[in-house]
Structure formats: structure tokens, C-alpha cells
Amino acid sequence: MIPHWYRTLDIQGRRTFWTAFAGFVLNALAIQLYPLLQPTIAAAWGLNAFQAGSIASVTLVASTVGGWIAGALSDRWGRVRILQATIVLFAAATLLCAVSRDAVQLTIARALQGAAFGGEWAVGIVLVAEAAAPATRGRMVGAAQSAWAVGWALAAGGAFAAVSFRDPVLGWRAAFGLAALFALGVLFLRRRFPAPPAAGRAKAAKWRDLFSRRHAYTTFRGALLAIGLHSGYWALAIWLPTLLRFGTEADPGEAGRRLAVLIGGSFFGYFGGSWLSDNLGRRMALLAFAVTAALFVLIYFALPHSKGLIIILGFPLGFLATGMFSASGPVLAELYPTALRGSGQGFCYNLGRGVAGLATGFIGAGVDKVGLAPALAAFVAGAYGLVALAALLLHETGGRSLADEAPDFGCSLMQSGREVLKAPRELTESHDT
């Protein structure tokens, strides 16, 4: 059944949705290949846990710079033009991953891939948010973000095929090569694609305006939200496949079932989170997901489970890990006026990813001391605690038209707790008046 929000879109809106969706599938496919193949690559090149984790961390840190630059340029040169450039860089970097001969070359290739990834995701979310109606923005952005689960599933299939090769090294190279070809297909779809009406209406502001008196507190809260979201998610995405022993030393069938359930949960999480964000409000949806996820992660990693129970619990773990992203995308787009939207979303979202990259890299260093499961449980629960804090500090932004200038959310850090913690309905009404 075709959802109501999709039926209300015109041809331009539908093209915008599918253009972004295809790019997000590519992002997940190429980026998730390495975490899934990390045990195989580490074994082939003799890498320890810290070295293997560092390659993943470099990708996320590089995405920070790429997202900042792409977001700022999209405010000046248009969303679609920058998205076309990110796909070209993504295709080239993914091909370099396929032909890398050692860990240094792969690190460089993954850094370039991360830069393109950061720009693609940050600008793509803005593109979709600006094309959506205010009442259904959460659901449209959430549906676009569900492409991540689709790409993740494709990456898992590619990883299984790669490790099944007689020569696993040749297999993972072929997987990256096919992802590069997919990137060229996405580039073909984006030829002559016009920007949606909301983009480019306002004169682009200066990037430093994000830290002006008017917007500094907004930027702080958006960055806090993104740091918590990404730190929790990427800790799971990078290290959970290793914990599930997805690699040459494990039964690939069992690991595959665990991962399939986890990915299925993440797919439905995007839709569940987007529905809640449109119906309960962005803040309440984020807070509910963050608190529930923090508690569930502690249970998931702390209690001994049978093999069957681990598979079953993977569904709610995936659902909770991605559901809050459906609310965060609209929030970061709704916090800023049109002239700063790409810059603001690019900075906050990718700062969070960069911090997550640095932080999750040190999980590998602590594996020998406390074990991977305890380290993941403490880290992820703490990260989702930051999401809950950000949700309490944020204003409710749901229902705002992105064609208009954003209200002044950049209130002072000395603002009273009563004002910060207003109910979503009160804030929404005050912004609409």
C-alpha cells in the first residue's frame, strides 16, 4: 500500500525522494562493507583489533570534514550540484578500496570515502526535508533514511559472498568494486535533476554564523544530539559484527541470521521513529527512544542468552538504534533558516559522526582489558544518555515550514530551565504565532 505522504507528492517531490534514497543505499552498502569484512581483512593483513578499528574510525572522522564542506557549499551552490560531486568522489574512493594493497592504502581510500559519505548524507537529508510537507516531514525523511537498512542488507549479502570465495581477499575486493559501479548508476540518476523550490531561496549566510549569538546554543544542542546518536549507533555497527563472530572463524549461517534480524529491526525502526516524531513530536520521540535503547542495551549485553534468544533480541536492538535517527533528521533541518540549513545540518550531524569515530576507535584498545561486550554496553548506554539530554534541551520543531525563516532558537545558555523544558505543544503554538 502506498503511504499517504507519498501520494501527496508531485513528480518533483517523488524524484527528490528516490534520488536521495538511492544515494543512501549506496552509502550504507559501501560504508558497511568494511565493518562486516573487518575480521577477514584483519586476518589477511595481520592487523590487531586497534589497527582494524582505526581504519573504521578514520572513515567517520573524514566524514566530519566532508559533511561540513558539502553542507556549506550546498547553501551557496545548491543541494543537487553538491550531491552530484559527492557521488563522483564516492565512486572513485570505493574503487580505490577495491585495489588497496595494504592497510595504509585502505585507510586513505576509506578517508576519501568517508568525506564523500559525510557530504552525501548531510545534504541529502536537507534535500528531502525541504521537499516534504511539514505535517509529514518526519515520515518522508524516515522513509528516505530506511535506505540505510537496505544498503546494509546488500552489504551483508556482499560480505557473505566475499568470505565464501575460495580466495576471501579477492572476494572483498570484488565487493568494493561492485559498490563503485553502483555509485556510477546513482550518478546517472542525478543528471539534470533540478533543486526543490525551498533550496536556494535565501542568500547563503556565512558558515561562522552557526556560532553567532543567535545560533550558538542551537548549534550546541544539535551537535550534542548528533554526538550521542552516532556514538551509540557506530559502536554497534563497527563492533557488533565482530562480537557476533561474523568472519572466517565462525559459522556464517548463524552470524547471518543474527545480522539479518538486526537489519530487519533497523529497517522498521526508521518507520516507527518517523511516525512517532510526526505524532508525538520530535522531542518526545527522541527521549522515548533514547531512554528505552539505553536500558535495552544494558540488558542485551549483560545477560547471558541462548543462541535463539540473541537472534530474537536483535530485532528490538536494531529498531531502537535507528528509530531515533528518523526524528533527528527533521530536527536538524528545522533548527536553522534556509540560508544556514545545509551548513548547520552538515556541521552538527558530521561532528557527531567524527566524535563517534574517534571514540569508537578506542573500544578496540580496551577489548583485552574488560572484554568487548562490557565495553560496548557501557559506551552505547552512555551515548544514548547524551541523546536523552539533548532531547530535554531542544525546542519542539515539528510542523514548521522550511520555506520560512527559522524562529530564533539560539537562546542563551543562561536561559531558565522552565523555558528550555516547555511542553512541545506550547512551543509549537508560540512559534506559529
Side-chain angles (χ1 to χ4, degrees):
M1 185 177 70
I2 300 176
H4 172 72
W5 63 263
Y6 187 82
R7 294 198 303 269
T8 61
L9 295 175
D10 57 15
I11 295 178
Q12 171 70 14
R14 295 182 181 186
R15 289 181 62 189
T16 298
F17 174 81
W18 289 113
T19 296
F21 189 93
F24 296 163
V25 170
L26 168 65
N27 272 204
L29 168 61
I31 293 298
Q32 290 285 53
L33 273 176
Y34 177 76
L36 292 168
L37 293 170
Q38 182 173 292
T40 302
I41 296 174
W45 287 344
L47 306 178
N48 59 36
F50 180 74
Q51 291 171 325
S54 296
I55 296 176
S57 297
V58 165
T59 307
L60 299 184
V61 173
S63 73
T64 301
V65 179
W68 292 349
I69 295 174
L73 292 180
S74 73
D75 285 334
R76 294 181 177 274
W77 296 348
R79 317 296 188 213
V80 176
R81 184 180 299 180
I82 299 304
L83 287 176
Q84 290 171 340
T86 60
I87 286 296
V88 172
L89 178 59
F90 207 101
T94 305
L95 183 60
L96 288 176
C97 290
V99 300
S100 296
R101 309 305 303 178
D102 53 38
V104 174
Q105 293 182 10
L106 182 59
T107 300
I108 295 172
R110 289 284 291 181
L112 293 174
Q113 194 181 55
F117 168 45
E120 171 74 20
W121 195 264
V123 180
I125 290 295
V126 173
L127 186 75
V128 174
E130 290 178 335
T136 59
R137 184 175 297 123
R139 275 162 283 182
M140 183 169 173
V141 171
Q145 288 180 300
S146 71
W148 183 265
V150 176
W152 193 2
L154 293 176
F160 274 116
V163 299
S164 299
F165 269 43
R166 181 175 300 178
D167 183 355
V169 174
L170 180 61
W172 69 254
R173 293 187 187 281
F176 278 111
L178 291 175
L181 290 177
F182 184 77
L184 294 178
V186 175
L187 177 63
F188 176 80
L189 290 176
R190 289 184 177 171
R191 293 189 311 168
R192 297 182 178 180
F193 181 75
R201 281 186 175 180
K203 182 179 179 181
K206 297 183 183 297
W207 192 81
R208 64 174 179 268
D209 290 342
L210 293 175
F211 313 101
S212 66
R213 183 175 181 180
R214 180 183 180 189
H215 296 294
Y217 190 35
T218 293
T219 301
F220 165 76
R221 289 175 289 178
L224 183 66
L225 171 64
I227 289 171
L229 284 170
H230 283 295
S231 295
Y233 173 80
W234 284 104
L236 293 172
I238 292 172
W239 290 107
L240 191 57
T242 300
L243 184 66
L244 297 177
R245 299 187 63 79
F246 181 88
T248 56
E249 299 179 1
D251 174 12
E254 180 185 338
R257 287 189 291 272
R258 293 178 180 181
L259 193 58
V261 173
L262 181 69
I263 294 172
S266 71
F267 179 78
F268 286 101
Y270 285 114
F271 291 98
S274 64
W275 185 89
L276 287 175
S277 72
D278 276 342
N279 288 275
L280 295 182
R282 316 296 192 221
R283 295 173 71 240
M284 288 303 298
L286 284 170
L287 186 61
F289 269 102
V291 172
T292 306
L295 294 175
F296 184 81
V297 162
L298 294 175
I299 297 173
Y300 181 87
F301 287 110
L303 297 180
H305 304 303
S306 65
K307 291 182 178 180
L309 186 58
I310 288 179
I311 294 176
I312 294 173
L313 292 179
F315 188 91
L317 180 64
F319 184 93
L320 293 170
T322 60
M324 62 189 81
F325 276 89
S326 295
S328 70
V331 165
L332 294 177
E334 291 161 350
L335 284 175
Y336 293 97
T338 300
L340 269 177
R341 188 165 298 127
S343 299
Q345 175 124 348
F347 175 81
C348 294
Y349 198 84
N350 289 287
L351 176 64
R353 188 184 285 137
V355 172
L358 290 173
T360 55
F362 288 100
I363 293 178
V367 169
D368 295 333
K369 297 181 180 180
V370 299
L372 184 52
L376 268 178
F379 185 91
V380 175
Y384 290 148
L386 291 181
V387 175
L389 175 61
L392 292 173
L393 295 177
L394 283 166
H395 288 284
E396 178 59 42
T397 61
R400 190 174 68 80
S401 173
L402 297 189
D404 302 325
E405 289 300 297
D408 188 359
F409 292 142
C411 40
S412 168
L413 284 171
M414 299 301 293
Q415 182 179 9
S416 69
R418 177 176 176 273
E419 179 68 19
V420 172
L421 299 179
K422 276 186 178 180
R425 179 175 296 180
E426 293 176 315
L427 286 169
T428 303
E429 292 172 353
S430 65
H431 292 160
D432 291 339
T433 54

